[in-house]
Amino acid sequence: MKYLFWVIAEIALVFILLSLPSSRFADQNGWLHLLPIDKIVHVLLFGSLAWSFFYFFDQSGVQALQSVRAQAWAMIFCIVYGIAMEYYQKWYVPTRGFEVKDMIADATGVILALPLYQLWKKRQ
């Protein structure tokens, strides 16, 4: 049950972080503007979200959740959630907008999470 709580907490964390105005993260004078920090954050957030689903499924003990199909559905959920968050930002978050590059970064994080998780699981 605690792993399900973690999944829900991750969903909430992504929502909260992507609801903050972009001015909270601005670094106009520093060197950070040279790096795609925003995209890296999206990859990490959504990769972590997918990872939490995979881990929850493995720890659940439910055979249906330990299938490739369940992992695929989790990945689809995470990618659709990323797309939905972009629309949410466009319409409801001041100073934030709709960016296809953010959706690509979200999907990249989700897709990278699966082989990294499987590699980590083999080493455990």
Side-chain angles (χ1 to χ4, degrees):
M1 202 60 178
K2 65 182 174 181
Y3 302 111
L4 177 59
F5 172 77
W6 183 252
V7 172
I8 294 167
E10 287 251 11
I11 291 169
L13 176 68
V14 168
F15 182 82
I16 290 166
L17 290 176
L18 295 182
S19 295
L20 297 174
S22 63
S23 60
R24 303 267 307 204
F25 305 106
D27 181 29
Q28 281 93 13
N29 300 326
W31 57 271
L32 287 178
H33 71 281
L34 299 173
L35 299 172
I37 298 294
D38 175 48
K39 304 311 176 240
I40 294 169
V41 168
H42 278 267
V43 168
L44 293 175
L45 278 176
F46 282 85
S48 176
L49 178 60
W51 185 293
S52 67
F53 270 104
F54 303 150
Y55 192 77
F56 165 65
F57 291 167
D58 280 346
Q59 299 302 314
S60 71
V62 177
Q63 192 67 28
L65 290 178
Q66 297 174 350
S67 68
V68 172
R69 180 177 291 196
Q71 290 176 333
W73 278 111
M75 292 173 74
I76 290 168
F77 170 82
C78 291
I79 291 170
V80 169
Y81 185 54
I83 294 168
M85 286 305 299
E86 285 304 309
Y87 280 101
Y88 165 74
Q89 287 179 335
K90 176 181 180 179
W91 296 106
Y92 299 107
V93 182
T95 72
R96 296 292 281 262
F98 182 89
E99 287 189 46
V100 173
K101 289 180 183 177
D102 284 348
M103 290 188 289
I104 293 169
D106 299 342
T108 300
V110 171
I111 291 167
L112 288 175
L114 184 58
L116 290 174
Y117 180 78
Q118 289 173 340
L119 180 65
W120 173 80
K121 197 167 120 177
K122 278 184 184 178
R123 292 184 178 206
Q124 292 300 316

